[in-house]
């Protein structure tokens, strides 16, 4: 059977008090709208049509090529929004209606709703939930047979109706044929002067067709975001869900509430994550790693048995059994080998570092290719920028760069080449040679006394 989803996303989201269209606010790193599209796609909906309006171009720019859009240039209500997709609605099949501001909806809930709707041969099915505080939502009025009577909006409800705690989630399944029949019949005779999508359910009922009510016990799934307070609530729930998934798969999170992991991140078992860690994008972490507190990674690929403390790793890879930090900064394009040590205050950018090499403290390694078993001393600077161009330094296997050396690129240190500490190296260091490039030490005997600077016992 053909299944389509129409996702309502034209609203302004005034209460967000934001320049950004509401559905583009992010939850755990992904826009709310994309979360909804992902849930629909995962529940085997082949076609998504997003109704755009407020900030249409900005919203469209975030969507993949396989997502259709329909423009609602005026916000005349949820029914009006769906009317904008009228020509895209298939002649038959199931149409799922979703809200772009409800990012917590899961694939499972959508599958359940679709199954209930299709297996029960309903012409329309509304997803409802029981809420302790139903304020603001449309209320579900049941008929004598406990089926759907009608849906009354908060603004149209009388005092008695307002006490009803079963609410309309705003998620529905429709038989495409009947949705096409009902949509043109909508009227805007209500307190808000809007075309309510909810009225299509009454219209379909009046056609003597079966309308179903599917009540979910998982009210979190249907939470809609209208304010930053709700955005923070939803973020907390999504973060908890992501954390639970990793915990169930064998990852230790010392303090899940204070660990920030985006949805696409992958972590293998027996890795331990300390509080304050931020893992973003398509970061992948192997097994038996320790990720120490306040580490931030974005699109990083980390091998097995790696230890990282208080460090930032962006668009880079780190091999097995390597240790990083504390306070290391791996910038994009860095590829660190196995059993490497990158110590405190070492910055690496666009560089490969071979297995068993070390840069233990206070170094800048930029635009470099470093071999295996290389030692980069304390305070070494790869001088990669001449003011116009970025140049490359190659340091081959078993080389030793003494502390506080400057390697002025372009430069090659051949295999087993040694650089004396404090040298500023501008020419190739041949294999097995020691390069010294610094002023020779001269000792001027008795100089302090001659200058009258020698302190007597009393002065000390
Ligand atoms: C709607 C339902 C209500 C339900 C609630 C659940 C109607 C009439 N009411 O109310 O029963 O409890 O959702 O959250 O449907 N939108 C457009 N174009 C419009 C109007 C809205 O695209 O012209 C979009 C919004 O951006 C939003 C969604 O539709 O994503 C819901 O709109 P909103 O105004 O929040 O609906 P409610 O009045 O809360
Ligand atoms: Ca409204």
């Amino acid at each position: 059977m053909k299944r389509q989803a129409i996702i309502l996303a034209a609203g302004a989201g005034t209460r967000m008090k934001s320049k950004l269209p509401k559905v583009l606010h992010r939850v755990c790193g992904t826009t709310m709208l994309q979360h909804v599209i992902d849930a629909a796609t995962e529940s085997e909906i082949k076609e998504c049509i997003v109704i755009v309006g407020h900030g249409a171009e900005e919203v469209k720019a975030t969507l993949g090529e396989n997502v259709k859009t329909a423009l609602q240039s005026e916000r005349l209500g949820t029914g009006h929004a769906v009317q904008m997709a009228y020509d895209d609605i298939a002649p038959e099949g199931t149409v799922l209606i979703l809200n772009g501001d409800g990012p917590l909806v899961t694939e499972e809930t959508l599958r359940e709703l679709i199954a209930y709707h299709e297996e029960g041969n309903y012409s329309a099915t509304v997803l409802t939930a029981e809420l302790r505080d139903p304020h603001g939502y449309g209320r579900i009025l049941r008929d004598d047979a406990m089926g759907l009577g009608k849906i009354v909006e908060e603004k149209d409800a009388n005092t008695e109706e307002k006490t009803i705690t079963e609410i309309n989630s705003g998620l529905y399944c429709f038989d495409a044929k009947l949705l096409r029949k009902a949509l043109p019949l909508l009227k805007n005779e209500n307190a808000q002067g809007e075309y309510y999508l909810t009225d299509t359910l009454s219209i379909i009922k009046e056609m003597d067709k079966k309308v179903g009510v599917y009540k979910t016990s998982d009210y979190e799934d249907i939470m809609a975001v209208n304010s930053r307070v709700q955005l923070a609530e939803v973020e907390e729930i999504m973060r908890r869900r992501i954390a639970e998934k990793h915990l169930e798969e064998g990852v230790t999170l010392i303090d899940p509430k204070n660990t920030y992991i985006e949805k696409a991140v992958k972590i293998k078992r027996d890795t331990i994550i300390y509080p304050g860690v931020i893992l973003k994008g398509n970061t992948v972490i192997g097994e038996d790693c320790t990720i120490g507190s306040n580490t931030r990674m974005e699109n990083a690929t980390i091998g097995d048995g790696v230890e990282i403390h208080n460090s930032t790793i962006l668009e880079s890879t780190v091999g097995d059994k390597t240790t990083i930090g504390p306070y290391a900064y791996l910038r994009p394009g860095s590829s660190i080998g196995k059993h490497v040590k990158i110590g405190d205050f070492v910055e690496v950018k666009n560089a490969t570092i071979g297995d068993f090499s070390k840069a233990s403290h206070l170094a800048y390694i930029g635009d470099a290719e470093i071999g295996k078993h290389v030692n980069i001393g304390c305070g070494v600077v790869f001088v990669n920028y001449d003011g116009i161009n970025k140049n490359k330094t190659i340091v081959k296997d078993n080389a030793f760069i003494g502390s506080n050396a400057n390697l002025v690129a372009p430069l090659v240190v051949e295999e087993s080449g040694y650089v004396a500490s404090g040298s500023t190296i501008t020419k190739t260091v041949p294999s097995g040679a020691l390069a010294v490039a610094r002023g020779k030490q001269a000792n001027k005997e008795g100089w302090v006394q001659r200058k009258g600077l020698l302190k007597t016992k009393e002065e000390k």
Side-chain angles (χ1 to χ4, degrees):
M1 181 175 315
K2 182 165 171 105
R3 293 191 186 123
Q4 299 171 291
I6 298 177
I7 303 173
L8 307 190
T14 322
R15 277 179 286 162
M16 295 297 283
K17 301 200 173 136
S18 176
K19 292 184 286 299
L20 197 66
K22 179 164 80 174
V23 295
L24 295 189
H25 282 265
R26 287 169 189 271
V27 174
C28 293
T30 302
T31 67
M32 294 203 276
L33 179 55
Q34 192 59 47
H35 279 297
V36 177
I37 293 171
D38 290 347
T41 311
E42 283 158 18
S43 67
E44 279 163 41
I45 300 282
K46 294 277 181 297
E47 188 182 41
C48 287
I49 304 155
V50 177
I51 310 298
V52 294
H54 181 80
E57 290 312 311
E58 217 177 322
V59 174
K60 274 182 175 166
T62 68
L63 299 174
E65 276 173 14
N66 51 345
V67 178
K68 277 193 183 174
T69 59
L71 181 68
Q72 185 195 26
S73 27
E74 280 178 296
R75 251 60 69 211
L76 302 180
T78 48
H80 180 256
V82 176
Q83 284 173 346
M84 300 302 109
Y86 194 88
D87 293 339
D88 290 315
I89 300 172
E92 44 195 38
T94 298
V95 180
L96 183 66
I97 308 284
L98 302 170
N99 291 311
D101 58 1
L104 291 178
V105 69
T106 56
E107 175 209 340
E108 293 81 44
T109 296
L110 294 183
R111 277 184 196 276
E112 285 166 22
L113 172 65
I114 294 167
Y116 182 89
H117 170 79
E118 290 179 356
E119 285 160 23
N121 283 315
Y122 291 105
S123 296
T125 304
V126 56
L127 181 74
T128 71
E130 207 71 59
L131 292 191
R132 225 177 315 145
D133 176 15
H135 182 81
Y137 286 93
R139 309 297 205 285
I140 302 294
L141 272 60
R142 296 277 189 161
D143 63 12
D144 295 340
M146 283 313 283
L148 182 74
K150 62 172 185 166
I151 300 175
V152 180
E153 291 305 299
E154 172 87 28
K155 287 192 175 131
D156 301 300
N158 61 35
T159 324
E160 196 190 327
E161 287 163 346
K162 278 183 186 160
T163 64
I164 296 171
T165 51
E166 187 181 7
I167 60 95
N168 169 22
S169 69
L171 275 61
Y172 322 79
C173 273
F174 284 94
D175 178 290
K177 213 187 299 170
L178 280 144
L179 181 60
R180 290 170 67 99
K181 271 195 190 157
L183 279 176
L185 304 176
L186 287 177
K187 296 201 175 72
N188 64 349
E189 288 151 10
N190 51 55
Q192 304 187 81
E194 288 183 2
Y195 296 91
Y196 288 169
L197 182 61
T198 44
D199 289 347
T200 54
L201 298 169
S202 314
I203 294 170
I204 290 171
K205 244 194 115 188
E206 279 159 24
M207 293 172 177
D208 275 336
K209 299 286 180 187
K210 263 171 82 184
V211 174
V213 179
Y214 182 69
K215 198 199 261 189
T216 175
S217 53
D218 192 354
Y219 72 92
E220 285 180 351
D221 261 48
I222 58 135
M223 284 173 73
V225 172
N226 292 302
S227 65
R228 306 261 186 171
V229 171
Q230 289 169 330
L231 183 67
E233 284 169 4
V234 159
E235 171 93 23
E236 194 179 332
I237 293 168
M238 176 112 35
R239 202 183 326 138
R240 190 198 68 216
R241 286 182 180 177
I242 293 171
E244 279 169 3
K245 186 193 84 182
H246 291 294
L247 294 168
E248 277 160 18
E249 286 171 4
V251 176
T252 294
L253 304 178
I254 302 289
D255 184 358
K257 276 196 163 173
N258 287 305
T259 309
Y260 306 83
I261 306 175
E262 291 185 358
K263 205 163 70 166
V265 171
K266 295 196 172 73
I267 310 170
K268 292 212 183 128
R269 55 176 63 177
D270 290 319
T271 280
I272 303 175
I273 314 240
Y274 280 78
V277 168
I278 302 174
L279 304 175
K280 294 168 78 81
N282 293 313
T283 292
V284 178
I285 300 176
E287 57 182 34
D288 298 318
C289 294
T290 300
I291 312 298
S293 50
N294 302 324
T295 291
R296 177 168 70 97
M297 295 195 220
E298 196 161 341
N299 300 322
T301 303
I302 309 297
D304 298 334
V306 173
E307 207 166 305
I308 302 173
H309 294 285
N310 252 288
S311 293
T312 299
I313 303 180
L314 310 176
E315 329 268 340
S316 292
T317 65
V318 175
D320 301 346
K321 300 273 167 65
T322 282
T323 65
I324 307 284
Y327 317 113
Y329 184 18
L330 306 189
R331 289 166 54 200
S334 299
S335 169
I336 315 294
K338 297 176 184 174
H339 298 275
V340 169
K341 181 178 179 197
I342 303 292
D344 51 279
F345 305 103
V346 173
E347 176 178 341
V348 183
K349 186 216 75 173
N350 186 32
T352 59
I353 298 183
D355 300 347
F356 300 100
S357 288
K358 286 192 174 105
S360 299
H361 356 249
L362 299 156
Y364 172 63
I365 301 169
D367 301 307
E369 211 180 288
I370 295 175
K372 293 178 183 168
H373 295 282
V374 169
N375 189 82
I376 307 289
C378 179
V380 169
V381 173
F382 282 59
V383 184
N384 61 328
Y385 186 48
D386 58 16
I388 300 165
N389 296 309
K390 298 276 166 67
N391 299 302
K392 189 171 175 180
T393 300
I394 298 171
V395 179
K396 297 196 179 165
D397 296 352
N398 302 310
F400 182 98
I401 314 299
S403 291
N404 228 26
N406 298 312
L407 302 182
V408 181
L411 184 76
V412 180
V413 177
E414 295 288 359
E415 205 173 316
S416 304
Y418 271 52
V419 169
S421 66
S423 295
T424 291
I425 303 294
T426 54
K427 290 189 297 218
T428 299
V429 178
S431 180
L434 168 69
V436 189
R438 63 184 183 218
K440 265 213 173 116
Q441 183 171 337
N443 294 336
K444 300 191 175 173
E445 296 293 341
W447 183 89
V448 178
Q449 193 174 28
R450 278 202 303 283
K451 291 281 178 187
L453 296 171
L454 200 63
K455 292 191 174 103
T456 63
K457 236 184 198 160
E458 293 77 62
E459 284 170 332
K460 282 179 193 161

